[in-house]
Amino acid sequence: MTATPVSAPAPTDPANAERRALLSSILDEAIAATHPRKCLVGHLPAPTPGRLIILGAGKAGGSMAAVASRFYRQEHGVPEDRIVGLAVARHGYGEEAPGIRMVEAGHPVPDAAGIEATRKALAIAESAGPEDEVLVLLSGGGSANWIAPAGALRLPEKQAITKALLRSGAPINEINAVRKHLSRIKGGRLAVAARNAKSILTLAISDVPHDDPSVIASGPTVPDPSTLADARAICERRGINLPESALALLNDPANETPKAGDPAFARAEYRIIARPIDALEAAAEAARRAGYEPVMLGADLEGEAREVAAEHARLALEARQAGRRVALISGGELTVTIRGEGDGGPNQEYALALAIALDGAEGIAGIAADTDGTDGGRGAATDPAGGLVDATTLVRARAAGLDPKAMLLDNDSTRFFATIGDLVQPGPTRTNVNDCRVILVD
């Protein structure tokens, strides 16, 4: 798997070509550092005589399930009748996991496959008895993959709410606060379903700023600090029009999510096994080996993609002016408030805004991509992950008849980078620790 752009760019000078290749290899190393093959096995509990229930969800749900399957079946010889398993991942992100049923479902907008998989996951959790151990394998994307509308809320209504929240520019913690109060599995409710189990162990790959367990995949196995009032306020502030079925749920005190102190969490343990900072540290080490001074700008950045890009361009230009050879490295989860009609995602919009702000400055190149392999898009496994920029980006774009500033205003970053051959499109990476952005300054 490689983060190399979709098609070859126009010829560039050797130094620029070297920077571009290095950026792609740095992103590859960042992704590899947080794949379940590297980070999961050391946290898997030893098999016990009782039944093991394995439930996975998210963009790494398939790969985590595959690693767990090999660990218990091949390395420890656990018989099939002692493992019950179901994992759900985004379409194109499934992976063969013998003995564990694998389902692919919609993301970022949920679909019927996700509803059916979630219904079965809840039924399996509810079947847990006092000798059974529940192993929950979570990663980002689980909020869309584990979809169980509460009350009278229907799938089309839930899809419309999700789309509206995404378009509003709301950060992930706000989006998930609403999701949790419209669901039968999120916000600690999976732990409630499995409350009769001997134990519940959640192993999670974090894709959220500050690694908050209640936000990762909407926290299905941890107490929920957000409230019905919070969800109502978010929808009002973001201008989200809610159907009557959703309003009924958000106005019903009996629909509040379980909080700290609920008996369902008494035997529940939660561990984060990979974080965004792990990917950024791998990127920093790769840059250091190549002779660049790594400068960490933060693993938990939030804000409008184009605004953050302008600030990072300023830092890059200052470093060049000072004669420093640095790699500016950042992560987090940026947002895009959609006002135009184009296609794109936060990383592609960041990259386009970065190119505009750098204005062809020599000796600077950058890459911005989501480590899960998709950035925005329409839910296909072939959606792009981000974009790559260098000193020739604007020149090549204008030669192709593109107006970079107009395309930024129209949120049309995918077409921009596709036209000049600088989309970053690694395909499903089967992990997810959020964005990885690197700017090399010579």
Side-chain angles (χ1 to χ4, degrees):
M1 181 177 299
T2 178
T4 303
V6 174
S7 58
T12 58
D13 68 84
N16 194 38
E18 184 177 339
R19 277 189 293 273
R20 292 171 61 92
L22 178 59
L23 285 167
S24 293
S25 67
I26 288 174
L27 179 60
D28 288 341
E29 290 198 36
I31 291 170
T34 57
H35 192 280
R37 286 191 301 267
K38 184 176 180 66
C39 64
L40 178 57
V41 169
H43 294 275
L44 290 171
T48 61
R51 191 172 63 145
L52 177 63
I53 295 174
I54 299 176
L55 301 172
K59 294 172 188 172
S63 53
M64 294 177 85
V67 170
S69 173
R70 288 193 294 269
F71 177 80
Y72 289 112
R73 295 180 182 279
Q74 297 177 12
E75 296 183 29
H76 292 277
V78 177
E80 287 191 16
D81 61 357
R82 280 176 41 205
I83 294 182
V84 177
L86 186 148
V88 57
R90 175 180 168 138
H91 289 296
Y93 284 63
E95 191 167 327
E96 184 178 353
I100 300 174
R101 182 180 177 188
M102 187 69 239
V103 177
E104 295 188 349
H107 181 281
V109 179
D111 62 13
I115 285 186
E116 179 63 14
T118 308
R119 182 186 67 79
K120 292 179 178 178
L122 282 169
I124 294 172
E126 289 167 353
S127 76
E131 300 301 318
D132 297 333
E133 295 181 293
V134 177
L135 176 63
V136 180
L137 305 175
L138 278 187
S139 63
S143 294
N145 293 153
W146 265 349
I147 172 73
L153 188 66
R154 297 178 297 111
L155 175 59
E157 293 171 328
K158 188 69 176 290
Q159 290 172 325
I161 294 169
T162 300
K163 289 178 181 178
L165 286 166
L166 291 169
R167 290 182 65 88
S168 74
I172 191 62
N173 63 309
E174 291 190 10
I175 293 173
N176 285 357
V178 176
R179 284 167 157 168
K180 286 186 277 192
H181 289 89
L182 301 175
S183 173
R184 293 187 294 113
I185 193 170
K186 299 177 175 66
R189 300 185 203 264
L190 178 59
V192 173
R195 61 188 176 277
N196 293 323
K198 179 180 179 181
S199 65
I200 304 171
L201 172 61
T202 301
L203 301 178
I205 294 178
S206 172
D207 73 321
V208 302
H210 313 295
D211 306 319
D212 184 349
S214 71
V215 179
I216 301 169
S218 295
T221 58
V222 295
D224 179 27
S226 72
T227 64
L228 288 164
D230 293 333
R232 291 194 300 267
I234 291 165
C235 290
E236 182 177 352
R237 184 169 63 253
R238 297 290 176 181
I240 309 299
N241 293 319
L242 297 173
E244 288 298 322
S245 55
L247 288 170
L249 289 168
L250 297 186
N251 287 312
D252 181 3
N255 186 47
E256 187 57 272
T257 47
K259 308 303 180 188
D262 190 296
F265 305 116
R267 294 182 298 279
E269 181 185 354
Y270 194 104
R271 298 181 208 158
I272 297 178
I273 64 170
R275 295 171 168 81
I277 189 62
D278 298 330
L280 300 191
E281 288 178 347
E285 178 56 31
R288 187 180 291 108
R289 291 197 309 268
Y292 290 84
E293 173 197 350
V295 177
M296 284 286 192
L297 302 180
D300 304 308
L301 299 188
E302 298 178 271
E304 279 288 327
R306 62 183 65 184
E307 296 173 5
V308 175
E311 171 62 14
H312 289 183
R314 183 186 67 80
L315 296 174
L317 292 169
E318 285 183 355
R320 190 187 69 153
Q321 181 67 25
R324 298 175 65 194
R325 193 169 195 246
V326 300
L328 305 179
I329 299 170
S330 65
E333 187 163 46
L334 305 182
T335 53
V336 174
T337 301
I338 299 175
R339 300 181 177 89
E341 300 298 324
D343 291 323
N347 287 286
Q348 295 163 83
E349 181 140 326
Y350 170 97
L352 176 52
L354 180 69
I356 293 170
L358 290 174
D359 195 26
E362 292 292 336
I364 302 178
I367 195 167
D370 198 315
T371 56
D372 63 25
T374 54
D375 177 54
R378 300 184 181 276
T382 54
D383 286 338
L388 190 152
V389 303
D390 63 21
T392 72
T393 297
L394 298 187
V395 172
R396 290 185 287 121
R398 289 168 182 142
L402 304 180
D403 183 335
K405 291 183 178 179
M407 297 182 80
L408 181 62
L409 289 173
D410 198 34
N411 302 118
D412 203 11
S413 52
T414 297
R415 185 167 67 91
F416 177 89
F417 286 107
T419 300
I420 64 173
D422 280 346
L423 280 176
V424 176
Q425 199 164 10
T429 64
R430 296 181 175 85
T431 190
N432 185 12
V433 289
N434 236 324
D435 301 341
C436 179
R437 297 176 294 271
V438 183
I439 303 173
L440 299 179
V441 182
D442 283 306

